[in-house]
Amino acid sequence: MPTLILVRHGRSTANTSGVLAGRTPGVALDERGAAQAAALPGRLAELPISEVVTSPLQRCEETIRPLLEARPELRPHTEERISECDYGDWSGRKLAELMDEPLMQVVQAHPSAAAFPGGESMRAMQTRAAEAVREWNARVEADHGADAVYLMCSHGDIIKSLVADALGLHLDLFQRVSVDPCSITAIRYTRLRPFLVRLGDTGDFASLAPREEAPGEEAAVGGGAGAP
């Protein structure tokens, strides 16, 4: 079965302003995010990518644009099921203020029980994304062969939930996974089991350096902004 390259969108204006963007329209890449997207074709130059699938949100479309310009033979496919989690009434709110919401403790420690007011549950988010991947695996294999490589550009929580699915982890453990903006995660699927062969690879170790303000113990809902 195919190898899936999961690319989280580049750093966005919502990431740097500390806002949970969700599906709010008009959220674009910031200057750093645009630079990350521009570097993507070089990072993937050795891969024979057969298909490109993207979330319909602007920040994902902007992330894959340089790759599509470098490879004009590729045509993007929009896939609604790998769109950002529908955070409902939380969308557009500051993450700092959301930390005081009682639901945030559930999101952090028991996400399989978390459902966002006016939005969807995290369990439903993972289910739709995993179903999309399985259908695309079959489609890519039928069209390009079992050794094909294809790419999906999506969002932090979506990618984390797909990693958990591939590893056989309960969704309640997915907050232990971290994927920075424009990071590459690769999953090689086989008939019996998937193999996680890359996780959150940016080629940049700056985010591992100690910071003046130590990172907290809570996971970054939506994915976080990456290195400063």
Side-chain angles (χ1 to χ4, degrees), residues 30-92:
D30 68 5
E31 185 175 352
R32 182 186 178 113
Q36 291 170 332
L40 196 58
R43 294 170 64 198
L44 298 172
E46 301 300 317
L47 292 181
I49 297 171
S50 58
E51 300 283 359
V52 172
V53 185
T54 183
S55 157
L57 296 181
Q58 179 180 337
R59 53 196 184 273
C60 286
E61 294 177 345
E62 290 180 353
T63 297
I64 62 166
R65 189 173 298 153
L67 177 65
L68 296 173
E69 290 173 352
R71 302 197 191 193
E73 73 279 6
L74 293 174
R75 295 289 182 269
H77 303 274
T78 300
E79 174 57 77
E80 296 283 348
R81 290 174 295 177
I82 62 167
S83 186
E84 179 65 283
C85 184
D86 184 356
Y87 297 116
D89 298 343
W90 279 25
S91 300

Side-chain angles (χ1 to χ4, degrees), residues 8-9 84 154-161 174 179 222-223:
R8 185 184 167 201
H9 61 78
E84 179 65 283
S154 188
H155 307 268
D157 281 350
I158 295 289
I159 294 172
K160 288 162 57 177
S161 74
F174 101 124
V179 288

Side-chain angles (χ1 to χ4, degrees), residues 59-135:
R59 53 196 184 273
C60 286
E61 294 177 345
E62 290 180 353
T63 297
I64 62 166
R65 189 173 298 153
L67 177 65
L68 296 173
E69 290 173 352
R71 302 197 191 193
E73 73 279 6
L74 293 174
R75 295 289 182 269
H77 303 274
T78 300
E79 174 57 77
E80 296 283 348
R81 290 174 295 177
I82 62 167
S83 186
E84 179 65 283
C85 184
D86 184 356
Y87 297 116
D89 298 343
W90 279 25
S91 300
R93 293 179 61 186
K94 287 280 190 180
L95 285 164
E97 69 180 44
L98 289 172
M99 296 306 293
D100 295 328
E101 294 280 354
L103 177 61
M104 182 59 83
Q105 292 181 324
V106 182
V107 170
Q108 293 291 329
H110 190 21
S112 65
F116 296 98
E120 70 178 333
S121 69
M122 303 199 88
R123 191 172 61 254
M125 173 199 74
Q126 182 187 43
T127 298
R128 63 171 165 83
E131 287 178 348
V133 166
R134 282 161 175 75
E135 289 180 21

